[in-house]
Amino acid sequence: MLQTTFRDAPRVIGKVICWLRFALTLCLFMTPQSAPLCAGADDDFFETRIRPLLVERCQGCHGEKKQWAGLRLDSANALQQGGENGPVVDTNSPNESELIIRVMSDDDSIRMPPPEVGAALTADNVRDLRHWIASGASWPEKSSLPTGSGLTDVERAFKEHWAFRPMEMPTVPAIKNLDRKPQAIDAFVLYKLQAAGLSFSQPADRRTLIRRATYDLTGLPPTSDEVTAFVSDQSTDAYERLIDKLLASPHYGEKWGRIWLDIARYADTKGYVYAREERFFTHASMYRDWVIKAFNDDLPYDKFVLLQLAADCVSPEQTDALAAMGFLTLGRRFLGVIPDIMDDRIDVVSRGLLGLTVGCARCHDHKYDPIPTADYYSLYGVFSNSIEREVFVPPAMGSPAADNYVNGLREREQTYHDYFETQRSEAQTRFRNRIVDYLMAQRELDKYPELTFSQIIAKAELIPGVVHRWAAFLERAEQTLDPIFAAWIAFAKLNDDEFATKSPSVMQTIQQASLTIHPRVLAAFDTPPTSAKDVADRYGKIFSTVDQAWTELCDRANKDGSPTPLELPNADDESLRKFLYQNDDSPCVIPRESMATIEWLWDTSTVEELWKKQGEIDRWVLQRPVDAPHYVALVDQNTTYEPRIFRRGNPANKGTVVPRQFLSVIAGDKRQPFQRGSGRLEMARAIVEPTNPLTARVWVNRVWQNHFGRGLVETPSDFGMRSAPPSHPELLDWLALNFIANNWSTRWLHRTMLLSNAYQQSSSETPSSGQTPDGKTSTGFQSHANEVDPENRLLWRMNPRRLTFEEMRDTMIVYADEVDWGMGGKATDAFTPIAGGRYRRSIYGQIDRQYLPTVLNVFDFANPDMHSPQRNETTVPQQALFNLNHPFVAGRARAIAGRIQQPASVNVGDRVRHLFELIYQRPPTPDQLASATEFIELQPQAMPKAPGLQRDWSYGYGSIDEANQRIKNFDKLPYSTSALWQGGAQLPDGTLGWVHIGAQTIHAGNDKDHSAIRRWTAPRSGTIRIRSSAAHEHPQGDGVRGILLSSRSGIVQSNILFNSQARFDVEQLEVQAGDTIDFVVELHETLSYEDLTWAPTITLTASAEGPEGPAGADDSTNIEWDADRDFQTDDSGVLNPWEQLAQVLIVSNECMFLD
Amino acid sequence: MRHLDRRTWLKQSSRGLSAVALTGLLAETNQADADSARDSDPLTAKHGHFPATADRVIFVYSTGGVSQVDTWDYKPQLYTDHGKKITASRWLNKPGEFERFLTKPRWAFKQYGQSGTWVSDLFPQLGSVVDDLCVLNAMVCDSDGHDKGTLAAHTGSAQFARPSHGAWVSYGLGTVNQNLPSFMVIAPQPPYSGAQVWASDFLPGCHQGTHVVPGVEPLPYLKPLVGSANLQGIELELLSAINRDHLERTSADAALEARIRSFETAFGMQAEAPEAFDLSQETDETLRLYGIDRGATQGFGWQCLVARRLAERGVRFIELIDVGSANNWDSHGDMAAHEPLAKAIDQPLAGLIRDLKRRGMLDRTLVVWTTEFGRTPFHQSVDHPGREHHNLVFSSWLAGGGIRSGIVHGKSDEHGILPVQDSVHTHDLHATMLHCLGLDHERLTYRHAGRDYRLTDVAGRVVREVLV
């Protein structure tokens, strides 16, 4: 109960403040027509007892912004009207009034306010309400509260909110009676502890400490040698040297880089995309590697942030810094819907860097924080004026691989370019020819709805994206007083029905403003137009005349053989021509920008073809074998425009124009609109400005959270009004200011935190000796601490924590001695070994937004769809199942057991000790040694050995060369579960698709190049007999093709099976040793239910001399191979007792938790 | 080889272990342990906001967009007006005026049951249980694309990654059987939008749907990698002993306790989950009811029968995906494609309703059948055999779990083009599903990114007219 209250308090306070704000706003806007229900002398009572109650407890849901059940309780009128079910007060029978019934109810489903909104009203409250109703429910016409004072209160609340206040350097408290040398951090922490009658727990033991620090800084376990050395190192600076060594390790960047990737919602894929587009980002790994390096270099945090937001402006000459911009460009693609992409960028910047939930202001002013919708769109304008640009850095040429890569890339780019230019030229011709239609169409944007792929747009139609571009262009033309479109803009203000009457005066205005109007336009409007269509037609005429003149000029030059003209001789004509042909911001022109920027400007068939060709480039880049950096940066658009508010977040519902500028909550009164380009650089500078009260606090808090298990502020990405205040506000400011003073060095932060006594204390609930404040026994003190501070907010002990998924996986491969320590580069599947059978660290595992492996979800991996403030730590049986039965864990247990098997003479006890040393970096306790030894000795050592026949089968995929009737490209399926061979950890696999083979099942892949092949290889020469029945057991789809094929004689039998069975029997077939018999399942027409149940048997009926017989076979003939019986995967073998013991230790709490 | 049971082995081997560990092991878990573990277990069974009429949901999703006028929404006038020219206000998601021709269904309708509800010849078996159904004939949704429509039907949002309905239910109510996941999705092929359909997104990971692929290994990692369950039991005892040893030396932390318990639960799951998928104990009569052959491990009948078995075992939310993102109900080319698809689900679904009913489970099980949208009752030419996407009106049905049976709610116009009465939006369906489970869709929220999110976003209305 205590916990709940403690936790809920800030939320409730936040709500109260919010309601207060609503209420005060209401007071200001209260209109005189709100007549009192009944005039009376109870005004004072109302103002002092009732109004505050309604404001604080009711109007949050029944007020200006929300009217649950149609009810408002913020004016006399509203009260009189009541809700959906009529009035809620009855002055004749107060106790029967719905309002009283609701506030008094015991039934949670009825009670108001609802339990999750707040506590029930007090008896006093209810009595007041009853009295108020009984005495006529008077509602004074005018608020007797002083007007305006409320707003000041709200403003003051915002101003005084701890997170928005400037940081202040606190005095480090003086601490008495310490037996350990305190660091500044300790002084702050102890000050509060002592005030609560608590103190630190005793220092953690050396083994615990080195494990804690090593994991916290590198994400890896210390080796058993490192532990031994540290435990026995008596020198005073041993711990400090350890911290410095860990901070200098390249693995530090891998650990902290991953922490940053959570913040940056990193993924290797775009999320859902239509099949035409390559779903992998080409630049994801470049960003990830840049982040790792930045941490390893201790890049000052301000610079780190600056580069991620504006590397293009900060260091244009330094292309490798462009990798940093993946921070902005690696978000979900949202099917290309621009407002959603912008929203994602605003969110990652505001929550990730500033701890502000600016995204809430997309549709309405932030309900709790001082973030108006206008501020959201100010930032929106910064991002929407920034467009993506691919940057390719050629590798050092000369090597065949580099040459081949660059040539291949150029080839693909050329193909794209040629197609693009042809299509662009044709599309622009269509745009020019339909200016009248576009001008008219953009008046009815609702007919060209939300940019969506589900429309099929033919070339002959108006392109919705272009219609919207016209609208945006005209809006900007109005802002910039464009001389060409001035007339259109003026006439566009007229309604259709008033057009004829008002047209002459508009015309007059135009003629009077002749100096600011383009002469051709002025000339065209010397008579008043009769309708909007007439205006459009006149523009059509103006442009077609110029277009014709230009075409003739070009044709003439072409005929004469003279050089292609560059412009029209007449300057007036030329400016019109530029609009038609040249200006990037003209809706008649498709800018030569990346697909991400221009994909909405095409008809469906062209955009598909363009994406296809872009996909060819992307895949080539993704497969690059050489070190050739590839970035997707943001750059400022050439022509910037001012953003407009989208009312209720709807792009079709445009509100007022807002300048691009920083958030008012931080910039304050002196805020100036951004001046340069999109304003991105200025925004970035404002974020890392040392006086910004949020940036340093937010990052310091995140680092703290990752070392102490919980932030000083518990909501690391929300420092707004609803956040709980920091547990140690002075400490937060001390850290933040010193962090800035130390050149924003994150390494300084780590050192400062890890060298504190607070960090080094034990996580057990035992106090440090001699510091029990009132002389209680140790047990007594423990319960005291638990009582005073059960959540350990004051840090009277260290918080233990579970390893993250990455730490768990990395620990297992480290103990198995299977790590490939190579850094950087392309991501790989976490559960499939790379070449050489080794595994890379988890940070290099592929993060596929759309198909995030279930295992990652089960272990609370950061959701890559959005900025992730902190990871959940849930415990579910699926995690245990992974630990017990997943082939990956089993494989590591095998490898670990393998490490302790040498030399063979070592006895059981020594091996057990070795295992404990390896995994726990300590010897077993005598009890544990006894139990483990007994565990080993109780179980039979020898597990059933695999019969030799199994090795004659293999499981792969490939295609059939129909002409030669042979298999080409037989490749073994790379991955196995306990029951299946398949392409990867999940079906379908990203590369190999659905192809998989089990004991009886055999399932074709997604195309004919990935047919499933169950292969039998003849171990000796002779005659065989084949018996099998293949069954396709689905009424759906169109069936599959089953093929029996011999490497000697080609296709023996081939059948299409669709909801049917067929026998594949061969009475006699001659084979030579090494020949193969393949049972192939190939896709038939469409991909659907492409599997057969097909488990053949092969019998050797006559044997010739062969090089090798099957192991253990006595008879040389009548050996029978049975696909079902012989089936084996890498991981279907069971664990032996040693492997089980290794598994027990690596999945145990001692291994998986940090004390 | 000696066979040891857990207890024997323990008694023999635990002499070296601490007394606390031993007591804990033999008593399985003492109450205090269990309580503290439960506090930290987000899947603990919880009560809703008010008394529920259903304890669980079986949600059946037919992918591709099932035509309303060919299945549940009988439009006699459409037969009469076949070939008549009309003006459609939208075509292929483009607004405007389009001259199109009404095209009649190729199947006849009959009245079934006491209620006399009209059902097309595509669903004769479902017709025979129509008195247990509540047909919704004025469903509407916002998107007429498969991916967005599917996402909206599952998460309430067509555009953003959001938690699935099943994840919300798991979050709101937990689960009564800790040996099985709270939310399971039986899907032979991935649906449109892939795994996002059952994602937990910002909700804790334990609420995500567990994907079951019909076939040899419906749930991964259930098979012990040691010689026998018995041997694994011994291994787990050792693990438990070592964990409790550790617990004793460190602080009594709820997370440590919970993790110890999770291994015990997983052990139970290994036993219980395969059993849930094993149909060998079902009678021939039951198998016939669902239209499955003995030994089958796939097919929609298998999905339905397994759904009943999971429902019996306390799984909170069971989703059955009918087909997947290919070769489904998306009959643009020829409506004839609806016929085999209907045949594949008609008997199993009717069997499921009957089976639930005779076992007394239908009362507390909400069965929902729906699809992403309907199909146009008109086309560009009168002899075009296909139908296009149509999200302006379509059909779904509900059964059991507090839903009024034998009624038709919602009405479309005479040709089945637009709703004319009692339309039900996807958000409303979600609100109603939650309501049956005792959850108020406006109060089932989760704080994320500074906002309280809910399944129904800022919309949704409980369709009280269909509630008992």
Side-chain angles (χ1 to χ4, degrees), chain B residues 7-8 48 66 84 152 183 255 338 372 401 458:
Chain B
R7 268 157 216 272
T8 319
V66 179
K84 202 171 138 186
F183 171 25
H338 265 37
E372 52 260 49
V458 293

Side-chain angles (χ1 to χ4, degrees), chain A residues 116 272 332 340 454 456 461 722 850 876 885 927-928 934 938 1034 1135 1140 1143 1147 1149-1150, chain B residues 9 13 16 93-94 147 159 193 196 206 208 221 225 235 243 245 249 259 270 298 327 443 447:
Chain A
E116 69 281 1
Y272 184 73
R332 245 168 76 104
D340 294 339
S454 54
I456 311 282
E461 293 177 76
R722 281 210 293 183
Q850 190 69 5
V876 288
N885 300 335
D927 291 351
Q928 288 171 335
E934 193 172 9
L938 260 174
H1034 314 286
L1135 298 178
Q1140 281 184 272
Q1143 184 183 31
V1147 307
N1149 281 350
E1150 182 165 346
Chain B
W9 183 81
S13 64
N93 202 24
K94 281 180 239 174
D147 296 284
Q159 175 71 349
S193 294
Q196 276 189 335
C206 58
Q208 72 176 321
Y221 320 130
L225 291 171
E235 178 181 338
N243 278 341
D245 216 11
R249 278 182 292 110
R259 192 161 179 276
Q270 283 179 174
Q298 292 178 59
N327 300 88
R443 289 156 71 191
R447 175 73 49 82

Side-chain angles (χ1 to χ4, degrees), chain A residues 249-254 291-298 747 823:
Chain A
S249 158
H251 303 316
Y252 158 73
E254 290 172 327
V291 169
I292 294 173
K293 187 169 183 300
F295 275 101
N296 278 335
D297 293 348
D298 194 24
R747 197 162 290 187
M823 291 177 71

Side-chain angles (χ1 to χ4, degrees), chain A residues 107-123:
Chain A
D107 181 347
D108 278 359
S109 65
I110 289 177
R111 197 195 89 197
M112 287 291 147
E116 69 281 1
V117 171
L121 301 192
T122 64

Side-chain angles (χ1 to χ4, degrees), chain A residues 13-237:
Chain A
I13 293 166
K15 289 206 169 180
V16 170
I17 290 174
C18 147
W19 282 325
L20 192 63
R21 189 152 65 102
F22 287 168
L24 295 164
T25 316
L26 282 170
C27 297
L28 279 183
F29 294 108
M30 189 86 64
T31 48
Q33 78 252 20
S34 51
L37 269 182
C38 156
D42 299 309
D43 287 8
D44 281 352
F45 182 78
F46 178 80
E47 292 300 349
T48 55
R49 311 291 280 273
I50 301 301
R51 193 196 291 274
L53 184 66
L54 293 176
V55 164
E56 286 182 18
R57 306 304 308 276
C58 310
Q59 289 175 6
C61 301
H62 303 286
E64 185 196 10
K65 302 227 171 173
K66 279 193 204 164
Q67 299 86 39
W68 286 44
L71 177 66
R72 289 179 72 148
L73 290 174
D74 58 354
S75 73
N77 272 347
L79 183 71
Q80 202 164 23
Q81 276 170 16
E84 281 165 359
N85 302 317
V88 295
V89 295
D90 179 349
T91 51
N92 295 321
S93 44
N95 285 332
E96 306 300 308
S97 295
E98 183 77 5
L99 184 68
I100 297 297
I101 294 172
R102 288 303 191 107
V103 298
M104 287 185 67
S105 175
D106 292 335
D107 181 347
D108 278 359
S109 65
I110 289 177
R111 197 195 89 197
M112 287 291 147
E116 69 281 1
V117 171
L121 301 192
T122 64
D124 284 351
N125 293 156
V126 176
R127 201 177 48 236
D128 288 347
L129 280 174
R130 216 188 275 129
H131 171 79
W132 172 58
I133 295 171
S135 52
S138 116
W139 194 302
E141 188 174 329
K142 271 188 180 168
S143 166
S144 51
L145 286 180
T147 16
S149 71
L151 269 189
T152 323
D153 279 354
V154 173
E155 279 172 354
R156 195 180 304 128
F158 288 151
K159 272 216 163 75
E160 288 180 1
H161 177 62
W162 64 270
F164 305 150
R165 267 203 321 247
M167 294 176 282
E168 276 172 54
M169 184 63 86
T171 318
V172 180
I175 299 295
K176 285 175 232 158
N177 306 329
L178 259 196
D179 57 0
R180 272 176 275 162
K181 185 180 152 233
Q183 306 286 330
I185 286 178
D186 300 327
F188 288 106
V189 175
L190 274 171
Y191 184 77
K192 285 207 142 183
L193 277 173
Q194 291 184 347
L198 299 171
S199 187
F200 284 144
S201 295
Q202 35 185 282
D205 64 77
R206 303 283 273 181
R207 175 182 158 274
T208 300
L209 194 56
I210 183 176
R211 269 175 60 86
R212 185 187 290 168
T214 310
Y215 271 110
D216 273 2
L217 290 178
T218 66
L220 295 167
T223 66
S224 144
D225 289 346
E226 284 165 341
V227 174
T228 313
F230 180 66
V231 169
S232 57
D233 190 341
Q234 297 301 319
S235 54
T236 48
D237 63 343

Side-chain angles (χ1 to χ4, degrees), chain A residues 526-826:
Chain A
D526 54 356
T527 58
T530 55
S531 64
K533 178 68 171 39
D534 187 7
V535 181
D537 283 337
R538 292 189 198 191
Y539 270 95
K541 186 87 191 307
I542 296 168
F543 284 117
S544 64
T545 311
V546 169
D547 197 12
Q548 203 180 343
W550 174 245
T551 314
E552 280 165 13
L553 185 70
C554 292
D555 286 351
R556 216 164 30 243
N558 199 15
K559 214 181 285 168
D560 302 349
S562 52
T564 314
L566 296 174
E567 55 183 26
L568 280 169
N570 177 297
D572 291 338
D573 290 343
E574 174 57 14
S575 65
L576 293 168
R577 189 199 67 85
K578 278 210 169 79
F579 174 80
L580 292 177
Y581 283 89
Q582 212 159 308
N583 294 349
D584 259 4
D585 65 336
S586 160
C588 291
V589 173
I590 296 178
R592 291 186 171 91
E593 294 295 350
S594 71
M595 278 303 287
T597 307
I598 56 162
E599 66 176 321
W600 298 106
L601 306 182
W602 306 94
D603 59 278
T604 306
S605 65
T606 308
V607 80
E608 279 178 2
E609 195 56 37
L610 280 166
W611 268 124
K612 222 166 98 188
K613 291 181 162 49
Q614 180 65 44
E616 294 297 323
I617 300 173
D618 291 351
R619 278 181 286 280
W620 185 255
V621 171
L622 283 164
Q623 300 299 329
R624 65 191 183 275
V626 290
D627 183 22
H630 195 98
Y631 312 113
V632 176
L634 283 188
V635 296
D636 290 352
Q637 217 157 226
N638 287 334
T639 319
T640 52
Y641 71 95
E642 295 300 328
R644 256 179 200 282
I645 290 173
F646 299 157
R647 289 203 198 98
R648 305 229 44 94
N650 180 358
N653 188 356
K654 299 247 173 25
T656 50
V657 172
V658 290
R660 280 164 289 113
Q661 57 190 2
F662 199 48
L663 299 166
S664 50
V665 56
I666 303 170
D669 307 336
K670 291 169 292 178
R671 174 164 71 158
Q672 291 294 320
F674 295 144
Q675 302 296 325
R676 207 181 118 178
S678 69
R680 205 159 23 83
L681 178 63
E682 288 154 276
M683 177 193 75
R685 292 227 159 98
I687 289 173
V688 299
E689 181 67 36
T691 54
N692 182 322
L694 289 165
T695 306
R697 279 179 176 147
V698 166
W699 178 237
V700 161
N701 188 59
R702 290 193 198 285
V703 175
W704 184 277
Q705 171 200 333
N706 279 287
H707 283 313
F708 288 89
R710 183 189 297 158
L712 295 166
V713 181
E714 288 201 292
T715 47
S717 297
D718 182 3
F719 278 31
M721 301 298 288
R722 281 210 293 183
S723 63
S727 56
H728 299 76
E730 299 81 9
L731 173 56
L732 182 65
D733 278 9
W734 185 90
L735 283 167
L737 286 167
N738 280 294
F739 168 60
I740 294 172
N742 281 279
N743 193 26
W744 302 79
S745 164
T746 301
R747 197 162 290 187
W748 175 86
L749 270 180
H750 292 304
R751 263 187 124 257
T752 307
M753 289 179 193
L754 268 61
L755 290 177
S756 71
N757 291 313
Y759 180 82
Q760 296 176 59
Q761 60 181 328
S762 165
S763 65
S764 302
E765 295 175 357
T766 48
S768 58
S769 55
Q771 290 203 21
T772 314
D774 50 5
K776 279 185 188 166
T777 62
S778 145
T779 328
F781 180 55
Q782 185 172 322
S783 63
H784 173 62
N786 256 326
E787 207 173 286
V788 174
D789 181 22
E791 291 197 58
N792 190 28
R793 292 291 286 142
L794 299 176
L795 277 175
W796 48 271
R797 65 168 172 132
M798 187 62 179
N799 292 308
R801 73 167 173 96
R802 194 174 75 195
L803 300 189
T804 62
F805 170 78
E806 293 94 317
E807 288 170 333
M808 173 183 78
R809 183 184 163 282
D810 287 353
T811 298
M812 289 179 180
I813 59 176
V814 165
Y815 292 158
D817 193 19
E818 294 176 314
V819 191
D820 178 300
W821 292 108
M823 291 177 71
K826 207 180 153 194

Side-chain angles (χ1 to χ4, degrees), chain B residues 10 13 19 46 121 125 133 204 218 267 282 330 343 366 378 414 426 459:
Chain B
L10 258 177
S13 64
K46 300 176 204 53
D121 288 354
Q125 295 298 325
L133 308 185
F267 191 69
E282 298 286 343
D330 195 19
K343 200 167 160 48
L366 173 64
F378 48 86
E414 56 181 359
T426 320

Side-chain angles (χ1 to χ4, degrees), chain A residues 865-1137:
Chain A
D865 277 325
M866 264 185 134
H867 160 77
S868 183
Q870 65 203 109
R871 297 205 182 173
N872 288 314
E873 203 181 275
T874 57
T875 304
V876 288
Q878 283 94 323
Q879 295 165 350
L881 282 175
F882 171 85
N883 278 320
L884 288 175
N885 300 335
H886 194 285
F888 177 82
V889 180
R892 308 302 61 78
R894 280 199 192 90
I896 293 167
R899 289 183 73 183
I900 58 158
Q901 294 304 310
Q902 299 301 326
S905 59
V906 175
N907 68 31
V908 171
D910 285 345
R911 280 193 188 154
V912 169
R913 271 188 284 273
H914 187 171
L915 207 50
F916 271 73
E917 285 288 355
L918 180 66
I919 295 167
Y920 292 162
Q921 299 93 39
R922 66 164 175 86
T925 63
D927 291 351
Q928 288 171 335
L929 180 62
S931 301
T933 307
E934 193 172 9
F935 177 81
I936 297 294
E937 289 176 343
L938 260 174
Q939 295 193 45
Q941 279 297 314
M943 304 310 285
K945 284 277 172 251
L949 298 177
Q950 291 169 340
R951 66 177 169 207
D952 299 323
W953 296 100
S954 44
Y955 310 94
Y957 64 95
S959 57
I960 294 179
D961 178 346
E962 297 285 346
N964 294 317
Q965 301 206 346
R966 293 296 184 277
I967 299 284
K968 51 178 186 188
N969 320 324
F970 177 87
D971 285 304
K972 287 194 175 175
L973 284 164
Y975 189 90
S976 65
T977 68
S978 56
L980 296 175
W981 283 98
Q982 57 199 40
Q986 294 214 324
L987 280 176
D989 176 64
T991 317
L992 299 185
W994 280 103
V995 56
H996 63 265
I997 302 173
Q1000 298 179 14
T1001 332
I1002 167 161
H1003 194 299
N1006 302 18
D1007 56 40
K1008 293 190 177 175
D1009 288 335
H1010 295 87
S1011 298
I1013 305 172
R1014 189 195 297 277
R1015 168 168 286 189
W1016 176 83
T1017 307
R1020 65 177 69 181
S1021 307
T1023 310
I1024 56 166
R1025 181 176 65 220
I1026 302 171
R1027 287 271 180 274
S1028 68
S1029 168
H1032 181 265
E1033 296 169 312
H1034 314 286
Q1036 303 94 332
D1038 61 356
V1040 292
R1041 180 175 171 219
I1043 306 121
L1044 172 57
L1045 187 147
S1046 145
S1047 60
R1048 185 156 299 275
S1049 47
I1051 295 177
V1052 180
Q1053 187 184 336
S1054 163
N1055 293 68
I1056 306 240
L1057 290 98
F1058 175 40
N1059 207 11
S1060 62
Q1061 300 197 351
R1063 287 208 69 84
F1064 287 77
D1065 294 333
V1066 182
E1067 215 41 54
Q1068 275 194 346
L1069 194 64
E1070 301 302 316
V1071 290
Q1072 297 290 317
D1075 282 4
T1076 57
I1077 301 293
D1078 291 318
F1079 302 87
V1080 187
V1081 174
E1082 184 185 79
L1083 173 90
H1084 180 234
E1085 310 281 335
T1086 58
L1087 176 61
S1088 179
Y1089 297 94
E1090 298 297 331
D1091 66 316
L1092 290 180
T1093 305
W1094 190 10
T1097 60
I1098 297 175
T1099 314
L1100 188 67
T1101 52
S1103 172
E1105 289 293 324
E1108 193 191 339
D1114 297 323
D1115 296 330
S1116 54
T1117 58
N1118 282 326
I1119 305 164
E1120 187 185 77
W1121 288 262
D1122 180 329
D1124 186 5
R1125 181 201 63 205
D1126 300 344
F1127 183 81
Q1128 192 176 26
T1129 64
D1130 271 356
D1131 295 299
S1132 58
V1134 296
L1135 298 178
N1136 69 33

